[in-house]
Amino acid sequence: MKINFSSFFKGSVVKDAQLKRDFFTQILYSTIFTMLATLLLALILHKHVFFIIANAATLLFLLVLFFVSRKNAATFMQKRIYITYCLVMGCFLLPLLYLFGGGVHSGIPLLFMVIGITTILLLDNVLMVVIFALNYTSASVVYYLDHFQNMCDKYTVLGDNTFIDIALTTSFVGPFIGLFLRSLTGHFEENQDKANDLLGRIENAATKDPLTGAYNRRYLIEYIDKCIDQVSKGELAAFSLLMFDIDHFKQINDTYGHLAGDDCIKSLSLILQNTLRKRDVVARYGGEEFICVLPSAEDTPAFRRAEQIRSTVENTILSGDVNKKITVSGGVAMYKIGMTAEELIESVDHNLYLAKEGGRNQIVWHDGGIAPLIYAVYGAETLQPVQNSGRRFSDATKF
């Protein structure tokens, strides 16, 4: 496998650039304030001049990086700044601060931990591994010099109140890590919201009809299969299908145009979705045909709901461009054990065919059988078709 080392320095493999920049800004703020406070403390406590010089050099380095980073927002430049920070701080400045500032008895070891985290989060791939290894080697060397050669004792003694450094460094490192984790969490939540929104759009595109907002034929078959499976497992007592078709739809298209026809289709879809329950599924089966799946509904209540829809359509203006009454025909079929989805659809389609053959603007079930007796009561007392005073139904709701 060929490795393009130049890409590590050009920034082409930088991921989540904005998050990295936010993180690096927090690092700079924290380390600048830490070095400034440490430098002032070193002057007040009259620490060794080498430690004061190392602090001043570190502070100057950080300030230069801060202004360069603010001035150059390009991704490739930002990555070079990250490399410079991790390399110079981890391999040179922190080791000097460690040696001159008290070694393991100071707060500098906490900064070694921070530079390790920073290197892993800001850099990528081989470059991250190389610089992390260099920083680890530098830390090991100064630890060896401190522990086995007692070099740190030449510049610092316990009487210099060295332990104040630990509390001071911790007071800046702790909040810095907390701020970064908060930023990381916010970034994750933002990306999660975007991902959920994208998945929702993809799901809608895969399952919804773009004209009407109803489900498409593919989703319909899958949902019927799901209902069949639930009935076989005893999770669902029964379910029924309703199938509707706009009467004389070809004449509407030929006389008033396809836009008026599309308006009628959208209006019918809205009536179906507004009339049925939330758990019911409305799907555009093809052209001006719709199939509705009613879980837990036997054929009698399904017939009543179909008749309600038929009556509502008859008394509603589906398109302002069509100056005549528009009606629908419908079929009703209940699932019977052993049926496949295709057989159930054939059954409801057959009843729809009988409704059209019998004069249209009617609902048929049971191969043309007599409508249920409860229909007469339901039709006389309960049905209240929605009048919209000439307003197009499709104008009432927007997808």
Side-chain angles (χ1 to χ4, degrees):
M1 181 179 67
K2 183 178 179 181
I3 300 176
N4 183 9
F5 289 97
S6 64
S7 66
F8 299 122
F9 297 92
K10 293 180 180 179
S12 60
V13 294
V14 173
K15 301 175 181 177
D16 298 322
Q18 186 57 48
L19 177 63
K20 289 186 177 183
R21 188 171 182 181
D22 293 342
F23 172 56
F24 184 64
T25 300
Q26 292 175 8
I27 290 174
L28 285 179
Y29 280 134
S30 298
T31 49
I32 285 173
F33 284 119
T34 299
M35 288 300 105
L36 180 60
T38 304
L39 178 59
L40 293 175
L41 183 65
L43 292 171
I44 293 172
L45 297 178
H46 303 290
K47 289 208 169 188
H48 197 282
V49 65
F50 287 174
F51 182 67
I52 295 175
I53 293 174
N55 264 281
T58 303
L59 181 60
L60 179 62
F61 170 73
L62 293 172
L63 290 173
V64 170
L65 278 189
F66 176 78
F67 287 110
V68 173
S69 177
R70 293 287 296 271
K71 189 175 181 180
N72 298 275
T75 302
F76 76 93
M77 189 63 189
Q78 288 295 315
K79 182 162 188 186
R80 292 177 180 177
I81 293 172
Y82 303 157
I83 295 170
T84 303
Y85 176 87
C86 295
L87 191 60
V88 174
M89 286 292 290
C91 294
F92 300 103
L93 294 176
L94 287 184
L96 291 177
L97 290 171
Y98 182 92
L99 289 175
F100 301 143
V104 74
H105 301 294
S106 68
I108 307 302
L110 287 173
L111 296 180
F112 274 110
M113 177 187 70
V114 171
I115 198 65
I117 296 174
T118 303
T119 301
I120 292 174
L121 293 177
L122 290 182
L123 306 182
D124 303 299
N125 302 330
V126 176
L127 185 60
M128 177 195 70
V129 175
V130 171
I131 293 184
F132 185 85
L134 290 174
N135 291 345
Y136 182 81
T137 301
S138 299
S140 300
V141 169
V142 294
Y143 176 75
Y144 172 81
L145 295 175
D146 176 27
H147 188 71
F148 295 101
Q149 302 297 325
N150 298 319
M151 185 171 290
C152 294
D153 294 341
K154 299 178 182 180
Y155 308 102
T156 305
V157 294
L158 293 179
D160 289 336
N161 297 320
T162 304
F163 292 109
I164 297 178
D165 294 352
I166 299 176
L168 180 66
T169 306
T170 303
S171 66
F172 284 97
V173 172
F176 146 70
I177 294 177
L179 287 173
F180 168 69
L181 291 176
R182 181 169 182 167
S183 175
L184 185 64
T185 301
H187 183 79
F188 172 79
E189 291 176 349
E190 180 182 354
N191 283 347
Q192 188 67 31
D193 291 340
K194 291 180 180 178
N196 290 337
D197 180 64
L198 180 59
L199 287 174
R201 292 175 182 270
I202 293 174
E203 182 179 357
N204 281 337
T207 62
K208 295 291 184 69
D209 171 57
L211 177 65
T212 64
Y215 287 103
N216 57 26
R217 188 168 183 165
R218 175 184 174 185
Y219 181 87
L220 170 70
I221 302 300
E222 292 176 352
Y223 189 76
I224 293 176
D225 285 334
K226 178 182 177 181
C227 289
I228 292 174
D229 184 60
Q230 289 179 327
V231 171
S232 65
K233 293 179 179 179
E235 299 173 358
L236 193 64
F239 73 96
S240 298
L241 299 189
L242 311 180
M243 189 171 187
F244 296 95
D245 183 87
I246 298 176
D247 296 329
H248 304 294
F249 185 72
K250 186 177 184 304
Q251 294 180 13
I252 295 174
N253 273 338
D254 292 343
T255 305
Y256 302 99
H258 289 281
L259 291 179
D262 286 347
D263 204 19
C264 293
I265 292 173
K266 289 188 288 184
S267 296
L268 174 58
S269 176
L270 286 170
I271 291 175
L272 294 174
Q273 295 179 62
N274 290 342
T275 304
L276 296 175
R277 303 167 300 176
K278 291 183 177 180
R279 64 180 301 192
D280 298 332
V281 167
V282 177
R284 187 181 180 189
Y285 190 65
E288 72 279 14
E289 293 181 331
F290 287 85
I291 291 182
C292 309
V293 185
L294 281 60
S296 303
E298 295 184 351
D299 49 4
T300 297
F303 189 101
R304 293 166 52 193
R305 188 53 57 91
E307 177 59 30
Q308 180 187 10
I309 292 169
R310 184 207 62 77
S311 180
T312 300
V313 172
E314 183 180 20
N315 290 277
T316 301
I317 298 175
L318 300 188
S319 173
D321 297 327
V322 180
N323 57 8
K324 69 172 187 177
K325 181 178 292 187
I326 300 173
T327 61
V328 295
S329 300
V332 178
M334 186 174 72
Y335 171 72
K336 298 178 181 178
I337 301 298
M339 274 185 166
T340 64
E342 291 75 15
E343 290 171 343
L344 181 56
I345 292 175
E346 287 178 4
S347 176
V348 73
D349 183 57
H350 174 67
N351 287 330
L352 172 62
Y353 172 79
L354 293 177
K356 286 189 169 293
E357 286 293 306
R360 296 183 171 85
N361 192 23
Q362 60 180 299
I363 306 298
V364 170
W365 73 339
H366 294 180
D367 296 327
I370 300 174
L373 295 177
I374 195 171
Y375 165 63
V377 178
Y378 184 87
E381 299 180 359
T382 308
L383 279 180
Q384 297 178 354
V386 177
Q387 301 289 345
N388 59 12
S389 302
R391 184 184 183 192
R392 290 186 301 170
F393 196 90
S394 56
D395 288 340
T397 306
K398 300 295 184 183
F399 287 107

